[in-house]
Amino acid sequence: MTFNQRTALVTGAGRGIGKAIAEVLAKNGVTVICVSKSPDSCGGVAAAITAAGGKAKAVPVDVANGAEVTKAAEALLAEFGKIDILVNNAGITRDGLVARMSEEDWNAVIQTNLTSAFHWTKAIGWPMCRARYGRIVNIASVVGLVGNAGQANYAAAKGGMIAFTKSIAKEFARRNVTANVVAPGFIKTDMTAVLNEEVQKAAIGMIPMQRFGDPADIANMTAFLCSEESNYITGQVFTVDGGMAM
Ligand code: NAP
């Protein structure tokens, strides 16, 4: 994969999939701005990347807060001059059946998983268009394609992320800015570690490859979509799920 002196911003880079994405980009020579909610988690990842010889900066931002996102994006654009790659990965779950779901849990998931991508894209996407270069990768979920009982808020956010990505792909294409979606299945992170043994067993039963994926499986696909080599791919959804949603 080729990256020509690129700078990337990865949200949710403190743990799990986002951390793996930050690491693989940094290994390929990309300067990585690691965003997470807690200063400790993005700080730890950025420090480890720097210690390994890479280039990284930690920026704690609550992505659910639009004003905070806009302020951080403006400051980072002023500091770095440009951001070439945006990976909207931060996400949460607040599961429950619709009949029992609070409006607070609905809003928290939509704000964190979907509205955050709107704010980052608005702030960083247009400068990418002016520079006539950009790669945007949004991390959705297979749940955004097929739905899931008990996850209506999460499925709505992820399905919205897919439609949002296709729309910005169409808006930005003639300015050489691509936008694609990676839709993971079950991946071994803190998000799935909370599932009880019975649920994990049932999930594995639905996966033809009969195991959960690793964060690196998502990171490798994401990095390809951020690289120069993916330059004619836009508006697409790539499921990385061991065959679950085929
Ligand atoms: P994770 O291990 O729970 O990590 C989530 C990351 O997002 C953390 O770094 C967290 O920050 C950050 N984050 C959450 N809320 C935030 C906020 N308000 N502001 C800033 N950062 C915030 O999750 P993961 O499993 O790696 O998931 C990453 C993405 O993949 C999510 O969008 C998720 O929906 C998607 N996904 C995951 C799976 C899976 O099986 N794991 C499957 C499909 C899709 P802190 O470290 O500061 O808490």
Side-chain angles (χ1 to χ4, degrees):
M1 289 182 284
T2 317
F3 295 90
N4 295 325
Q5 306 284 317
R6 301 295 180 195
T7 298
L9 186 147
V10 181
T11 71
R15 292 182 280 128
I17 291 169
K19 175 175 182 267
I21 294 169
E23 287 169 349
V24 73
L25 289 174
K27 255 187 211 152
N28 281 279
V30 175
T31 300
V32 185
I33 301 162
C34 302
V35 171
S36 72
K37 193 168 183 179
S38 117
D40 288 349
S41 65
C42 60
V45 172
I49 288 173
T50 310
K55 284 171 273 174
K57 179 187 172 85
V59 183
V61 180
D62 179 359
V63 303
N65 181 328
E68 228 183 274
V69 169
T70 306
K71 200 171 149 206
E74 281 169 4
L76 289 163
L77 283 165
E79 180 181 345
F80 287 86
K82 65 183 174 63
I83 295 171
D84 312 288
I85 297 165
L86 169 64
V87 182
N88 286 302
N89 163 79
I92 57 166
T93 50
R94 293 277 186 278
D95 297 350
L97 297 172
V98 167
R100 288 191 218 126
M101 187 178 287
S102 67
E103 194 173 343
E104 193 188 339
D105 282 349
W106 171 269
N107 286 336
V109 169
I110 299 292
Q111 281 291 130
T112 307
N113 297 26
L114 177 60
T115 312
S116 61
F118 159 70
H119 288 296
W120 285 113
T121 304
K122 190 170 172 181
I124 294 175
W126 189 241
M128 283 177 176
C129 288
R130 279 202 306 269
R132 297 293 190 271
Y133 185 89
R135 297 275 190 268
I136 299 171
V137 181
N138 292 329
I139 308 300
S141 165
V142 288
V143 165
L145 292 167
V146 300
N148 195 22
Q151 287 197 307
N153 49 358
Y154 186 76
K158 297 302 192 181
M161 185 80 133
I162 291 168
F164 173 71
T165 308
K166 291 182 181 184
S167 302
I168 59 168
K170 287 182 175 175
E171 285 187 24
F172 295 171
R174 70 196 175 91
R175 297 187 169 94
N176 197 33
V177 176
T178 65
N180 291 289
V181 171
V182 176
F186 284 94
I187 306 300
K188 282 179 255 167
T189 69
D190 293 347
M191 191 176 269
T192 48
V194 297
L195 302 172
N196 68 40
E197 209 177 312
E198 199 184 324
V199 174
Q200 294 207 23
K201 233 173 147 184
I204 287 169
M206 296 187 299
I207 304 169
M209 291 187 79
Q210 299 189 340
R211 60 180 171 83
F212 283 12
D214 292 313
D217 296 322
I218 307 305
N220 290 331
M221 171 57 88
T222 303
F224 172 70
L225 293 170
C226 294
S227 72
E228 309 292 322
E229 281 78 6
S230 70
N231 73 82
Y232 199 52
I233 302 171
T234 197
Q236 304 305 306
V237 181
F238 297 88
T239 54
V240 180
D241 65 351
M244 187 170 71
M246 75 169 97

